[in-house]
């Protein structure tokens, strides 16, 4: 029997308020038994933790705390000490730190790369302080992220979420011990470079994700993405790698178990 973990889904977002419990029941029935839920902003931390705690379905929600690089506007370093406090008081519930990272497009628009880098650095320190893996967002920032991960290594490693890029770029993260989050990108025929790379990566470096409600799959643009689409991403991955599905799903699930090394896994 195949079991899946959606390693990146914003199930706490308001898009899911109306049918969250029903959707999670459907996920469980579709063998998506665990969902990792990264946080994006201090204003949503408490509701995310509550949603995870009050979840009545057998589909397990595993929360993270962090500040996404898109949400830094108006934040100061005070929010970083709040992050430290929030992690300390909820450590038992948390599965990772994130989401954090560097976004090159936002950095250009808002001229805030230095701020992004200092927030990212703090998240790395938190991952090490609390012995948790890190969930990393990238966009046109592979070089800068790699530089930072090399100068301050994350002991428990983590996931490069929604990986897109070349084999060499992916391999550099894998060599550091990171897993690559494989998501909807591979359903787009134009993502040739990423598809070619994903074909070659060692299977023990791959995890699956939807990033729902963001990142709609090819052919579903304009619609909110759903964690249920994880199986479409998995099928596409099996096709790209020409891998037997049972074996591939087991390998990916054991990557999750090894990375998070948590009794809930
Ligand atoms: Zn995300």
């Amino acid at each position: 029997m195949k079991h899946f973990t959606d390693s990146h889904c914003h199930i706490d977002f308001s898009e899911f308020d109306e049918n969250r419990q029903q959707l999670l029941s459907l996920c469980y029935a579709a063998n998506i038994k665990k969902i990792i839920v990264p946080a994006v902003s201090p204003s949503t931390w408490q509701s995310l933790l509550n949603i995870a705690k009050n979840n009545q379905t057998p589909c397990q929600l595993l929360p993270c705390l962090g500040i996404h690089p898109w949400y830094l506007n108006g934040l100061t370093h005070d929010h970083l000490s709040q992050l430290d406090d929030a992690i300390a008081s909820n450590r038992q519930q948390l599965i990772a730190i994130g989401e954090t990272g560097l976004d090159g497009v936002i950095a250009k628009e808002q001229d805030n790369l230095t701020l992004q880098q200092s927030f990212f650095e703090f998240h790395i320190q938190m991952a090490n302080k609390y012995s948790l893996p890190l969930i990393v967002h990238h966009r046109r920032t592979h070089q800068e992220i790699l530089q930072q991960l090399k100068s301050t290594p994350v002991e428990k490693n983590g996931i490069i979420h929604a990986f897109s890029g070349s084999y060499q770029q992916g391999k550099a993260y894998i060599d550091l011990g990171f897993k690559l989050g494989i998501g909807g990108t591979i359903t787009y025929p134009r993502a040739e470079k990423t598809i070619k790379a994903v074909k070659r990566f060692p299977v023990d470096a791959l995890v699956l994700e939807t990033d729902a409600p963001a990142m709609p799959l090819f052919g579903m643009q304009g619609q909110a993405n759903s964690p249920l689409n994880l199986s479409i991403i998995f099928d596409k991955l099996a096709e790209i790698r020409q891998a037997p599905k049972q074996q591939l799903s087991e390998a990916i699930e054991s990557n999750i178990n090894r990375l998070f090394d948590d009794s809930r896994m």
Side-chain angles (χ1 to χ4, degrees):
M1 174 89 94
K2 296 197 284 284
H3 287 195
F4 298 103
T5 297
D6 188 345
S7 69
H8 197 111
C9 173
H10 299 283
I11 197 77
D12 59 314
F13 279 20
S14 60
E15 281 90 336
F16 298 117
D17 281 353
E18 270 179 29
N19 66 347
R20 189 173 291 109
Q21 295 295 303
Q22 193 190 3
L23 179 60
L24 290 174
S25 300
L26 289 172
C27 283
Y28 190 80
N31 288 319
I32 301 160
K33 303 214 164 163
K34 292 167 201 145
I35 296 179
I36 294 169
V37 193
V40 296
S41 153
S43 62
T44 63
W45 291 341
Q46 199 51 55
S47 72
L48 188 163
L49 294 168
N50 289 343
I51 285 168
K53 221 177 278 173
N54 301 329
N55 169 29
Q56 301 293 318
T57 77
C59 178
Q60 218 176 347
L61 296 182
L62 301 158
C64 315
L65 286 180
I67 306 173
H68 190 294
W70 290 1
Y71 296 78
L72 303 189
N73 240 339
L75 300 192
T76 67
H77 285 91
D78 284 350
H79 293 93
L80 295 178
S81 46
Q82 287 175 28
L83 176 62
D84 192 350
D85 294 345
I87 299 167
S89 13
N90 298 285
R91 173 63 186 85
Q92 287 312 310
Q93 211 194 335
L94 301 180
I95 197 77
I97 302 298
E99 94 182 69
T100 178
L102 303 176
D103 191 301
V105 177
I106 298 297
K108 253 193 192 153
E109 278 173 22
Q110 304 185 3
D111 190 23
N112 73 352
L113 184 63
T114 314
L115 182 70
Q116 288 193 34
Q117 284 170 322
S118 70
F119 271 63
F120 184 35
E121 188 65 30
F122 190 84
H123 283 74
I124 297 175
Q125 289 166 14
M126 290 298 100
N128 287 336
K129 179 174 178 183
Y130 294 99
S131 204
L132 285 166
L134 194 66
I135 309 286
V136 180
H137 168 97
H138 74 82
R139 187 159 54 151
R140 298 186 196 167
T141 44
H142 286 312
Q143 231 183 333
E144 292 83 353
I145 290 174
L146 280 163
Q147 213 170 38
Q148 232 168 314
L149 291 178
K150 280 178 189 164
S151 70
T152 321
V154 185
E155 282 154 37
K156 293 285 176 181
N157 300 310
I159 297 175
I160 305 301
H161 136 66
F163 174 79
S164 68
S166 69
Y167 177 77
Q168 296 308 331
Q169 286 163 335
K171 185 69 171 45
Y173 293 116
I174 295 170
D175 289 345
L176 291 177
F178 272 73
K179 309 286 179 214
L180 305 177
I182 305 302
T185 304
I186 63 166
T187 65
Y188 286 79
R190 66 161 189 261
E192 265 176 72
K193 184 172 65 176
T194 303
I195 291 169
K196 261 193 203 155
V198 164
K199 196 174 180 157
R200 290 176 60 197
F201 292 134
V203 69
D204 61 7
L206 307 179
V207 295
L208 294 168
E209 63 163 77
T210 62
D211 200 17
M215 286 194 71
L217 307 192
F218 179 69
M220 302 179 191
Q221 294 98 320
Q223 293 173 36
N225 193 8
S226 158
L228 284 170
N229 290 332
L230 197 72
S231 58
I232 300 175
I233 295 166
F234 171 74
D235 287 350
K236 189 70 195 173
L237 181 66
E239 182 196 313
I240 289 169
R241 295 179 64 96
Q242 298 177 307
K245 286 188 182 176
Q246 184 65 37
Q247 226 173 307
L248 182 64
S249 67
E250 282 169 14
I252 288 176
E253 202 54 15
S254 79
N255 294 342
I256 288 280
N257 294 339
R258 271 182 289 122
L259 175 64
F260 293 102
D261 183 26
D262 184 289
S263 59
R264 290 168 292 175
M265 285 301 185

